[in-house]
Amino acid sequence: MYPKAINDVQVGRIYEIAEGTFVPSVTTVIQWGCPMPIHLLNWIIKTSQGDPDKYWNVNNRDAQIGIDAHNLVELFAKRQMGILTRGEYAEFQTISIQDEPLQKALICFMDFYVKHKPKFLEVETPLFHKSIPYAGRIDAVAEIDGEVWLLDYKTSRSVDKDKKIQMQLSAYARLYEKIGDHKIDRMGVVHLKKNFVPGKDGFPSKRSKYLYEYERDDSLMDKALDMFNMFYDQLDSSGKPKIKPQLISDFGNFFDALIGSENV
């Protein structure tokens, strides 16, 4: 069943969207086809303090918070839609919510839900089409105040006026337009602020904004895809994804193969 994620590719993530047809994910194109913002580079330098392990530890912890927040919000949305299975519910129960940043992210989602009252129509919809050279997965499609929104959840520090976010949402809207069941009126990010400063009541300010709208611009993704393809050749001569080389771990066998075990 398509799309199929191809593991251990050289760069990012590749999907097989039909037999023998491979395309990069939207986030792979954006990550590898766009320059790194200077504020992010400065954050990496400050966080790592010259030690790559420190950076990866922080990065992996932040990524896990984002994954857990997405999964728990998905649970909520599926329950509202009446499509949550017992197996999914049991799986989500294994997620610990003792981490304060995750608690803050979930508080922001509930605040967003109370303020905007979204009616969820779809969650985690895979997006791919034979005529579009990338694929992805949208977090949610929801009706808000009579209009259909294409939504993505972000736990990053800032989500306003971000070209990469605009690029990502535009790519999803372009894909959804080909295969979706609803006409998208607007698109935006729901900001799950895992680092907000709480008031005396422990909650975000009542002036907090959670829904950030973006205008669609398909040309942004086209430019990033051109840059991505210029620097990264993901397919081999047969048209299949290039796989990361497997490093040798058993040097005993390696040397035996080189010089012959009978000579040892």
Side-chain angles (χ1 to χ4, degrees), residues 95-106:
I95 300 175
S96 172
I97 57 172
Q98 300 306 311
D99 202 8
E100 183 177 307
L102 178 57
Q103 293 174 358
K104 287 183 175 181
L106 296 176

Side-chain angles (χ1 to χ4, degrees), residues 16 19 45 54 58 70 90 101 113 118 121 124 133 148 152 162-163 171 174 186 194 196 223 254:
E16 184 176 16
E19 186 173 357
I45 294 171
K54 287 185 178 180
V58 172
H70 275 71
Y113 184 80
L121 306 173
E124 291 296 320
V148 177
D152 195 68
D162 187 313
K163 281 294 181 185
R174 183 179 181 185
R186 303 166 79 172
K194 65 179 185 293
F196 72 81
K223 294 171 184 175
F254 172 66

Side-chain angles (χ1 to χ4, degrees), residues 52-72:
D53 288 338
K54 287 185 178 180
Y55 164 70
W56 287 115
N57 287 338
V58 172
N59 192 57
N60 290 339
R61 185 170 66 249
D62 285 347
Q64 190 59 53
I65 291 169
I67 291 169
D68 289 343
H70 275 71
N71 287 340
L72 289 167

Side-chain angles (χ1 to χ4, degrees), residues 62-115:
D62 285 347
Q64 190 59 53
I65 291 169
I67 291 169
D68 289 343
H70 275 71
N71 287 340
L72 289 167
V73 168
E74 179 188 345
L75 176 148
F76 182 92
K78 282 187 171 182
R79 189 164 185 175
Q80 187 208 63
M81 295 168 65
I83 61 172
L84 182 67
T85 67
R86 290 183 179 274
E88 288 172 327
Y89 182 69
E91 181 180 346
F92 285 130
Q93 281 186 310
T94 64
I95 300 175
S96 172
I97 57 172
Q98 300 306 311
D99 202 8
E100 183 177 307
L102 178 57
Q103 293 174 358
K104 287 183 175 181
L106 296 176
I107 287 171
C108 289
F109 173 76
M110 295 311 299
D111 212 4
F112 156 77
Y113 184 80
V114 170
K115 286 184 177 181

Side-chain angles (χ1 to χ4, degrees), residues 163-174:
K163 281 294 181 185
K164 289 187 177 182
I165 292 177
Q166 184 180 15
M167 193 181 300
Q168 182 181 5
L169 288 170
S170 296
Y172 288 160
R174 183 179 181 185

Side-chain angles (χ1 to χ4, degrees), residues 7-240:
N7 297 321
D8 297 324
V9 296
Q10 290 188 343
V11 176
R13 177 180 296 169
I14 286 182
Y15 289 109
E16 184 176 16
I17 61 171
E19 186 173 357
T21 302
F22 302 93
V23 298
S25 71
V26 169
T27 52
T28 292
V29 173
I30 294 171
Q31 180 179 357
W32 296 91
C34 296
M36 181 180 292
I38 188 63
H39 73 270
L40 180 55
L41 179 60
N42 288 336
W43 178 83
I44 290 174
I45 294 171
K46 181 179 179 181
T47 301
S48 67
Q49 296 177 335
D51 183 347
D53 288 338
K54 287 185 178 180
Y55 164 70
W56 287 115
N57 287 338
V58 172
N59 192 57
N60 290 339
R61 185 170 66 249
D62 285 347
Q64 190 59 53
I65 291 169
I67 291 169
D68 289 343
H70 275 71
N71 287 340
L72 289 167
V73 168
E74 179 188 345
L75 176 148
F76 182 92
K78 282 187 171 182
R79 189 164 185 175
Q80 187 208 63
M81 295 168 65
I83 61 172
L84 182 67
T85 67
R86 290 183 179 274
E88 288 172 327
Y89 182 69
E91 181 180 346
F92 285 130
Q93 281 186 310
T94 64
I95 300 175
S96 172
I97 57 172
Q98 300 306 311
D99 202 8
E100 183 177 307
L102 178 57
Q103 293 174 358
K104 287 183 175 181
L106 296 176
I107 287 171
C108 289
F109 173 76
M110 295 311 299
D111 212 4
F112 156 77
Y113 184 80
V114 170
K115 286 184 177 181
H116 295 281
K117 300 177 177 58
K119 177 185 176 183
F120 290 99
L121 306 173
E122 297 181 39
V123 292
E124 291 296 320
T125 303
L127 303 173
F128 63 99
H129 192 269
K130 62 183 180 180
S131 68
I132 299 178
Y134 45 80
R137 185 181 295 270
I138 187 62
D139 288 338
V141 175
E143 183 180 319
I144 300 175
D145 294 330
E147 295 180 301
V148 177
W149 284 71
L150 185 148
L151 298 174
D152 195 68
Y153 307 123
K154 298 290 186 189
T155 57
S156 46
R157 185 175 295 273
S158 175
V159 301
D160 193 20
K161 299 177 182 178
D162 187 313
K163 281 294 181 185
K164 289 187 177 182
I165 292 177
Q166 184 180 15
M167 193 181 300
Q168 182 181 5
L169 288 170
S170 296
Y172 288 160
R174 183 179 181 185
L175 285 160
Y176 189 87
E177 189 176 60
K178 293 286 187 181
I179 66 168
D181 295 330
H182 303 89
K183 180 183 178 300
I184 300 298
D185 299 309
R186 303 166 79 172
M187 61 184 199
V189 167
V190 179
H191 193 192
L192 308 181
K193 307 175 188 179
K194 65 179 185 293
N195 52 10
F196 72 81
V197 178
K200 293 181 179 179
D201 59 358
F203 289 89
S205 166
K206 292 181 180 177
R207 298 190 301 273
S208 292
K209 181 178 179 180
Y210 302 107
L211 183 59
Y212 290 80
E213 184 174 9
Y214 277 87
E215 294 294 327
R216 178 174 165 180
D217 185 347
D218 292 351
S219 70
L220 295 175
M221 191 64 176
D222 291 339
K223 294 171 184 175
L225 186 63
D226 286 343
M227 292 295 292
F228 177 79
N229 289 332
M230 183 185 301
F231 288 100
Y232 302 100
D233 183 10
Q234 289 192 303
L235 305 181
D236 60 22
S237 58
S238 67
K240 295 182 179 179

